[in-house]
């Protein structure tokens, strides 16, 4: 099941995800990519069916943090120069710079389509602060993308270590779901199998 978040604010996006999550009665794993990491971190709070959180080169924010405040803690990533704000309060990735900045390891055609159909992120979402991060109470997995130009790999590693996540790395851009889909799928399966094994052990 995929949550179609509006990207209008962190609170809005968490609420949309929680509404969808309320229909998931079976044990559930939440997967978030990039900004989606902040969304699943908030959406999993109080959701007893959520057994694991999987971050795919994603923001794992702490309480009171935002994407904006976290970005101020270190040097800007190379891809940040491709991000542009419009006069409506939304952030876009420049189409001409999209391939190199966001998805350098996909084909030209794939990058062109991704740039054309991208959804802009609101400035309100960029500045939205996390409340209580669910990663402190729910097991987490983090897929570090070592060729990412949007979230620096050292920042990914910092967030993963802070939440105590199980970490794996792949040589990928910020779009591993396009360039290395099998690696992403295998990582999610790894988390799922670990949850099943833990449940079986607890039942014995």
């Amino acid at each position: 099941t995929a949550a179609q978040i509006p990207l209008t604010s962190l609170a809005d996006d968490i609420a949309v995800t929680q509404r969808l999550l309320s229909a998931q009665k079976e044990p559930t794993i939440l997967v978030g990519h990039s900004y989606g990491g902040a969304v699943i971190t908030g959406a999993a709070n109080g959701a007893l069916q959520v057994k694991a959180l999987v971050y795919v080169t994603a923001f794992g924010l702490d309480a009171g943090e935002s994407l904006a405040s976290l970005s101020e803690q270190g040097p800007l990533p190379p891809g940040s120069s491709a991000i542009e704000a419009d006069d409506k309060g939304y952030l876009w990735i420049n189409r001409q710079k999209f391939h190199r900045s966001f998805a350098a390891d996909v084909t030209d055609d794939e990058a062109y389509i991704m740039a054309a159909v991208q959804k802009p992120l609101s400035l309100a979402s960029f500045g939205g602060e996390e409340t209580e991060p669910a990663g402190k109470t729910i097991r987490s997995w983090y897929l570090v993308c070592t060729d990412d130009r949007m979230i620096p790999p050292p920042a990914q590693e910092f967030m993963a270590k802070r939440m105590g996540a199980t970490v794996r790395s792949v040589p990928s851009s910020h779009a591993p779901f396009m360039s290395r889909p099998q690696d992403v799928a295998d990582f999610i399966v790894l988390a799922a199998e670990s949850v099943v094994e833990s449940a079986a052990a607890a039942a014995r």
Side-chain angles (χ1 to χ4, degrees), residues 3-53:
Q4 302 301 312
I5 55 177
L7 303 182
T8 48
S9 74
L10 181 57
D12 288 348
D13 296 330
I14 288 173
V16 167
T17 305
Q18 287 177 328
R19 285 199 298 272
L20 188 64
L21 188 58
S22 67
Q24 307 291 122
K25 305 304 181 184
E26 299 297 323
T28 302
I29 294 175
L30 283 181
V31 182
H33 166 257
S34 195
Y35 165 73
V39 177
I40 66 170
T41 298
N45 280 318
L48 299 181
Q49 72 273 45
V50 177
K51 306 302 181 183
L53 301 173

Side-chain angles (χ1 to χ4, degrees), residues 72-95:
E72 295 171 355
Q73 296 182 24
L76 291 174
S80 64
S81 62
I83 300 174
E84 301 174 350
D86 63 20
D87 59 0
K88 303 294 189 299
Y90 284 85
L91 299 170
W92 298 79
I93 298 175
N94 181 286
R95 288 192 182 190

Side-chain angles (χ1 to χ4, degrees), residues 128-186:
E129 294 184 356
E130 196 73 73
T131 53
E132 186 62 27
K136 290 186 175 181
T137 56
I138 301 175
R139 296 177 63 190
S140 301
W141 279 257
Y142 198 108
L143 188 64
V144 173
C145 292
T146 58
D147 297 330
D148 195 330
R149 296 174 62 84
M150 302 303 295
I151 304 179
Q156 298 176 50
E157 293 166 357
F158 164 76
M159 290 184 286
K161 181 178 180 180
R162 184 172 63 177
M163 69 177 72
T166 298
V167 180
R168 296 289 186 275
S169 298
V170 291
S172 169
S173 70
H174 194 59
F177 48 88
M178 291 294 295
S179 62
R180 305 184 73 92
Q182 190 61 56
D183 287 332
V184 175
D186 289 346

Side-chain angles (χ1 to χ4, degrees), residues 68-137:
S69 67
L70 194 63
S71 68
E72 295 171 355
Q73 296 182 24
L76 291 174
S80 64
S81 62
I83 300 174
E84 301 174 350
D86 63 20
D87 59 0
K88 303 294 189 299
Y90 284 85
L91 299 170
W92 298 79
I93 298 175
N94 181 286
R95 288 192 182 190
Q96 282 67 48
K97 299 177 181 179
F98 189 98
H99 194 177
R100 174 173 170 77
S101 301
F102 194 94
D105 49 357
V106 306
T107 68
D108 290 345
D109 287 347
E110 288 170 334
Y112 184 88
I113 293 170
M114 291 173 69
V117 302
Q118 67 175 298
K119 291 175 63 176
L121 179 70
S122 69
L123 287 170
S125 298
F126 189 70
E129 294 184 356
E130 196 73 73
T131 53
E132 186 62 27
K136 290 186 175 181
T137 56

